[in-house]
Amino acid sequence: MPRLMDSRKRILITGGAGFLGSHLTDRLLAEGHEVLCLDNLFTGSKRNIDHLHANPRFEFLRHDVTFPLYVEVDEIYNLACPASPIHYQHDPVQTTKTSVHGAINMLGLAKRLKCKILQASTSEVYGDPSVHPQTEDYWGNVNPIGPRSCYDEGKRCAETLFFDYHRQMGLAIKVARIFNTYGPRMHPADGRVVSNFIIQALRGKPITLYGDGSQTRSFCYVDDLIDGLVRLMNTDDTVTGPINIGNPREMTIRDLAERAVAMSGSSSSIVYKPLPTDDPKQRQPDITRARTTLGWEPKVTLEEGMQRTIDYFRQLEAA
């Protein structure tokens, strides 16, 4: 149960040593809360949280969310799941288990504790969209048996579970649909375009572009994304989502590759390879609901965010 005499919350973050989880941990600790950071370190990294171990309000627990967890907390952010195709396709069955069994276990914990729980869902629930930009009312165009299905359908099932727990048991839920996010602490080998392009550019290697580069994405800097998640969690119980959290500035992948080369001062050339199966042709969030419900919109420009990310990877490469 929530504490009666203390405004400080004890907050559980699953996937807390990952890219997003570690930034969320920083934000919540800075606000004065206690954070229980849970991660099995499959894609998360101790390096992302090394700077936090001296903080008396920080605790790390190595645990897999596919197994039940018994702790006492006031809020739960459920971020645990590999999020890049290279990682989630490495063990697709485990990826589905992480989304589905992980959601069941965390929802069960939230039910016992009677606490709010936020699900980090994804724009991948929209699949290869036939509606553009994507609003939260769009049901998506997802291949249920393709190589990306373990992630796409796993996240869709997790959303189903969250809303059924809400309807059936009155649980206070929040569902955020996260669009492409980038920034420091991205895994250098996660295969996502921002980290791929920057690493290749810094190493002077050819930039790998899949398809003709005309497919589009919308990239949100991590600080903006975290602010959106925290704002959503802090809404009253009538706000459940789903709410798109992402940057509506749409650009082609070719444009992103050219920016990565220019901003890193690289001489890398661009090489083209076949487009992966079921890779979405376009992706852009409609953030009207986030603006009106959360008072949120991204503030960090692509140029600012890319420079910070390039600086991070340059230091990582030099280490």
Side-chain angles (χ1 to χ4, degrees), residues 246-265:
N247 194 319
R249 178 182 175 182
E250 185 183 20
M251 65 188 306
T252 67
I253 299 300
R254 186 190 303 109
D255 185 14
L256 181 71
E258 291 169 351
R259 286 172 184 269
V261 171
M263 293 182 68
S264 61

Side-chain angles (χ1 to χ4, degrees), residues 16-73:
F19 165 47
L20 296 182
S22 62
H23 283 279
L24 178 59
T25 298
D26 285 343
R27 167 69 181 262
L28 295 176
L29 287 172
E31 291 182 353
H33 301 299
E34 299 174 11
V35 174
L36 174 57
C37 169
L38 182 145
D39 208 297
N40 68 353
L41 301 179
F42 174 60
T43 58
S45 171
K46 289 183 177 180
R47 181 178 61 236
N48 290 338
I49 55 173
D50 274 347
H51 63 291
L52 299 173
H53 289 295
N55 190 320
R57 289 181 283 105
F58 173 78
E59 182 181 353
F60 174 71
L61 175 63
R62 188 163 185 169
H63 182 84
D64 190 316
V65 293
T66 61
F67 296 94
L69 179 69
Y70 303 98
V71 294
E72 302 297 321
V73 294

Side-chain angles (χ1 to χ4, degrees), residues 88-89 92-93 95-96 99-100 124 142-157 277-278:
Y88 67 63
Q89 290 173 6
V93 172
T95 296
T96 303
S99 287
V100 178
E124 298 299 331
V142 176
N143 176 3
I145 59 171
R148 300 171 67 102
S149 306
C150 59
Y151 185 70
D152 302 359
E153 296 288 33
K155 288 289 191 177
R156 285 163 68 94
C157 184
T277 303
D278 296 333

Side-chain angles (χ1 to χ4, degrees), residues 2-22:
R3 296 174 223 190
L4 299 178
M5 303 298 292
D6 190 353
S7 62
R8 176 189 295 177
K9 297 173 185 174
R10 178 168 165 80
I11 301 173
L12 170 64
I13 303 175
T14 72
F19 165 47
L20 296 182
S22 62

Side-chain angles (χ1 to χ4, degrees), residues 60-117:
F60 174 71
L61 175 63
R62 188 163 185 169
H63 182 84
D64 190 316
V65 293
T66 61
F67 296 94
L69 179 69
Y70 303 98
V71 294
E72 302 297 321
V73 294
D74 301 310
E75 288 179 351
I76 302 169
Y77 286 83
N78 187 36
L79 274 58
C81 191
S84 73
I86 284 179
H87 290 149
Y88 67 63
Q89 290 173 6
H90 173 73
D91 188 344
V93 172
Q94 185 62 28
T95 296
T96 303
K97 284 182 176 181
T98 300
S99 287
V100 178
H101 291 184
I104 290 170
N105 287 331
M106 291 305 107
L107 286 162
L109 178 61
K111 178 190 171 188
R112 179 177 71 81
L113 298 173
K114 296 181 174 61
C115 72
K116 287 194 289 188
I117 179 170

Side-chain angles (χ1 to χ4, degrees), residues 102 124 135 142 151 153 166 182 200 205:
E124 298 299 331
T135 68
V142 176
Y151 185 70
E153 296 288 33
H166 173 66
Y182 71 99
Q200 289 171 337
K205 294 184 176 181

